[in-house]
Amino acid sequence: MLVRTRFAPSPTGYMHIGGMRTALFNWLWARHHGGQFILRIDDTDQARNQETALGPILRAFKWLGLNWDEGPEVGGPYAPYFQSQRGDLYRAAADRLLAEGKAYQDFSTKEEIDADRKQADREKRPYINIRRSLDLTDAQRQQFLAEGRPWVLRFQIPRDQKIVLHDLIRDQVEWDAALLPDPVICRADGSPLYNFATVVDDSQMQITHVIRAEEHLSNTPIQILLHQALGNPLPEFAHVPYVAAPGSKEKLSKRKIDQYRKNPQFQRMFQRGDEVFPKIGLTQPGQPGSAAFDPVMVEYYEKIGYLPAAVLNALGRIGWSLDEKTEILSLQTLVENFSLDRVVKAPAGLDPDKLYNFQGHWMKEFSLGPKVHHCLSFLVAAKLVAEPITPPVRDFVTKVVVAMGDRLKIFADILDAAFFFTDTFEIDEKNFDKRVRKEGVPALLSAFRQHLAELPDYSAASLEADLHTFCTARGEQSGTLVHAVRLSITGQAVGPGLYDCLVLLGRETVLTRIDAAVKRVA
């Protein structure tokens, strides 16, 4: 059997981290078995769909390198892959169920249904449809239609059976069909509802495995019965636990962004976005600007400079493990080893700190040329470097990237080295006061400035030796001068090696900045 999985997002917003984890599991299952992964767009809810939302969803897949075998921009034998364009299939299936007596036109009014629900509540029993419309004569139905009376098409639940699901993650799950209300499968205009359209599509596209979030488990009995009524072979079902917010058992939700800003495990993510996004023309939620991104979205991690390998590593570890100890997982390793029997049943949380650590690992594995390329895109966006990129500029940025070393965790960190590209850099006032506005330090700085101006050898190795010799001759601790010089020329208390900074900035720039620091103290 050729394994065929699908992910079917609704184009109602940017790509949610939880949704992408589910998509990844589908993709991995298909690739592990040499099968096919289908991307289908469930856009039947026209009231919620956003035309601009599909692009970010597709970009998120492309950024992570999760290609799809059939779907938008690719096509395939079961096109179209947009539910809004598949109306003929739904109408044909609905007409068949209606003709076979497995569905019926329900003319019940809202008032009648509300009364039925209240009666069920009073009797402390589950609400089950009163199938009053089944008692209508053909003449009465025609009269209602002529009058323009609203109706919906309901699937008639066969209530004399148990529904048994052998879920690949949750084992056996059972439902009593007698307790299920007849679901609406089509509106009067023929447009399908989710459960019905999904069943028709999964069957027509020959989906073999439906791997989805656990909140869809409640839809499963209806879908099983619809498959049976249409004579479809049943796909295998696997319901994965939802992705929880950091340090919580609650589902990670876009609606709780303000709450997450107070979450200690999420604060660093939000803070970094607040620092970076305005510099590159983006903003955080709730702030004015052209676009907003937050850590619930896949796009956030792309925009702030994470590597796809790190995000995939983190997503692959949410609710799944290779063994008891392995944390670092490449996409190829995930493909080779993915299995549904190692997916946990309990909710699994997104861990921003673990993701950050994964990023640190994969950044070390990333080669220098592409690393420079990505850093340049941030420098250009922040208007610290102008396009077109000339060879001298690229060479300089390469030297800066090398100097930053492991301090370059995400590509946006290159903006912390803005002092290499502009004289209007920010100054850490607290540390400036502590390290430079200190008795004797301005005079020491001025003397060292003159020493630098006269040095015949202005190389990193020579500068380090000369600074220590200079301090020893004056009975000063070298650390005092190192901190003062660093703050004077970079504005920061920490950063790339001081001697690398001195060389990369160049003698004239260093002298000018030390002069400015001494003047600032005066």
Side-chain angles (χ1 to χ4, degrees), residues 11 146 229 248 253 305:
S248 168
S253 172

Side-chain angles (χ1 to χ4, degrees), residues 29-71:
W29 186 251
R31 295 292 177 259
H32 178 76
H33 291 280
Q36 296 171 328
F37 172 70
I38 292 84
L39 184 60
R40 186 177 74 220
I41 307 302
D42 285 5
D43 58 348
T44 55
D45 190 348
Q46 295 299 317
R48 296 179 61 218
N49 290 337
Q50 301 177 23
E51 291 184 9
T52 57
L54 178 59
I57 290 173
L58 300 184
R59 282 199 303 274
F61 275 88
K62 293 174 182 177
W63 177 61
L64 291 173
L66 302 181
N67 59 312
W68 54 98
D69 300 293
E70 299 172 24

Side-chain angles (χ1 to χ4, degrees), residues 99-137:
E100 294 176 357
K102 297 174 181 177
Y104 62 95
Q105 291 172 304
D106 185 7
F107 294 91
S108 298
T109 64
K110 180 180 182 302
E111 291 73 20
E112 288 173 332
I113 294 173
D114 288 344
D116 294 342
R117 289 184 184 278
K118 290 177 181 178
Q119 182 64 29
D121 288 342
R122 285 193 294 269
E123 296 176 4
K124 294 182 172 29
R125 60 175 172 80
Y127 164 73
I128 304 295
N129 302 75
I130 296 176
R131 296 167 170 171
R132 55 176 62 86
S133 290
L134 288 177
D135 297 327
L136 295 174
T137 65

Side-chain angles (χ1 to χ4, degrees), residues 252-314:
L252 185 66
S253 172
K254 184 81 170 70
R255 299 183 183 90
K256 296 183 178 180
I257 289 301
D258 291 338
Q259 176 182 322
Y260 296 155
R261 279 186 165 270
K262 302 172 185 177
N263 182 321
Q265 290 180 266
F266 245 157
Q267 281 178 350
R268 179 168 63 180
M269 287 288 190
F270 279 104
Q271 181 180 0
R272 199 66 180 125
D274 289 339
E275 294 167 351
V276 169
F277 289 157
K279 295 177 181 178
I280 60 175
L282 302 173
T283 59
Q284 284 290 77
Q287 299 174 355
S290 58
F293 299 92
D294 63 63
V296 173
M297 304 173 180
V298 174
E299 289 79 5
Y300 173 92
Y301 301 95
E302 177 188 9
K303 297 297 183 185
I304 206 169
Y306 274 75
L307 285 168
V311 176
L312 288 168
N313 196 159

Side-chain angles (χ1 to χ4, degrees), residues 75-348:
Y78 303 104
Y81 292 90
F82 293 81
Q83 284 191 333
S84 60
Q85 301 171 17
R86 297 170 60 81
D88 290 346
L89 286 169
Y90 308 136
R91 280 188 289 274
D95 289 344
R96 179 181 157 193
L97 291 176
L98 188 59
E100 294 176 357
K102 297 174 181 177
Y104 62 95
Q105 291 172 304
D106 185 7
F107 294 91
S108 298
T109 64
K110 180 180 182 302
E111 291 73 20
E112 288 173 332
I113 294 173
D114 288 344
D116 294 342
R117 289 184 184 278
K118 290 177 181 178
Q119 182 64 29
D121 288 342
R122 285 193 294 269
E123 296 176 4
K124 294 182 172 29
R125 60 175 172 80
Y127 164 73
I128 304 295
N129 302 75
I130 296 176
R131 296 167 170 171
R132 55 176 62 86
S133 290
L134 288 177
D135 297 327
L136 295 174
T137 65
D138 287 343
Q140 288 174 315
R141 275 192 289 273
Q142 292 303 319
Q143 181 180 344
F144 283 159
L145 291 172
E147 293 172 354
R149 184 163 177 168
W151 62 274
V152 293
L153 187 67
R154 289 188 185 274
F155 173 59
Q156 187 170 336
I157 295 286
R159 292 177 176 165
D160 58 348
Q161 67 180 82
K162 295 282 187 183
I163 306 162
V164 180
L165 170 68
H166 297 283
D167 191 278
L168 296 177
I169 293 173
R170 301 183 176 278
D171 303 321
Q172 184 163 305
V173 187
E174 295 185 5
W175 296 269
D176 186 349
L179 301 178
L180 298 176
D182 295 342
V184 176
I185 58 174
C186 289
R187 304 175 184 88
D189 63 3
S191 59
L193 273 70
Y194 167 76
N195 276 326
F196 184 57
T198 293
V199 165
V200 173
D201 289 342
D202 284 349
S203 175
Q204 194 260 350
M205 294 180 182
Q206 298 187 24
I207 302 302
T208 62
H209 294 78
V210 175
I211 303 169
R212 58 188 180 183
E214 68 176 353
E215 53 261 40
H216 288 290
L217 186 61
S218 60
N219 296 323
T220 306
I222 300 297
Q223 293 181 12
I224 289 174
L225 292 175
L226 281 167
H227 275 299
Q228 291 173 345
L230 290 166
N232 302 334
L234 274 180
E236 299 260 28
F237 287 90
H239 290 87
V240 301
Y242 60 78
V243 175
S248 168
K249 293 298 183 183
E250 293 185 359
K251 182 181 176 183
L252 185 66
S253 172
K254 184 81 170 70
R255 299 183 183 90
K256 296 183 178 180
I257 289 301
D258 291 338
Q259 176 182 322
Y260 296 155
R261 279 186 165 270
K262 302 172 185 177
N263 182 321
Q265 290 180 266
F266 245 157
Q267 281 178 350
R268 179 168 63 180
M269 287 288 190
F270 279 104
Q271 181 180 0
R272 199 66 180 125
D274 289 339
E275 294 167 351
V276 169
F277 289 157
K279 295 177 181 178
I280 60 175
L282 302 173
T283 59
Q284 284 290 77
Q287 299 174 355
S290 58
F293 299 92
D294 63 63
V296 173
M297 304 173 180
V298 174
E299 289 79 5
Y300 173 92
Y301 301 95
E302 177 188 9
K303 297 297 183 185
I304 206 169
Y306 274 75
L307 285 168
V311 176
L312 288 168
N313 196 159
L315 291 177
R317 286 289 291 110
I318 298 178
W320 184 86
S321 62
L322 174 60
D323 50 39
E324 300 301 323
K325 59 182 181 179
T326 305
E327 291 287 346
I328 301 300
L329 297 166
S330 68
L331 186 58
Q332 185 58 37
T333 300
L334 286 167
V335 169
E336 291 172 356
N337 295 277
F338 185 76
S339 64
L340 291 171
D341 59 4
R342 293 197 66 85
V343 176
V344 300
K345 296 181 178 67

Side-chain angles (χ1 to χ4, degrees), residues 350-365:
L350 172 66
D351 188 335
D353 292 332
K354 185 175 287 188
L355 171 56
Y356 190 69
N357 290 335
F358 290 151
Q359 172 67 14
H361 169 84
W362 289 109
M363 187 65 96
K364 290 178 182 177
E365 300 290 316

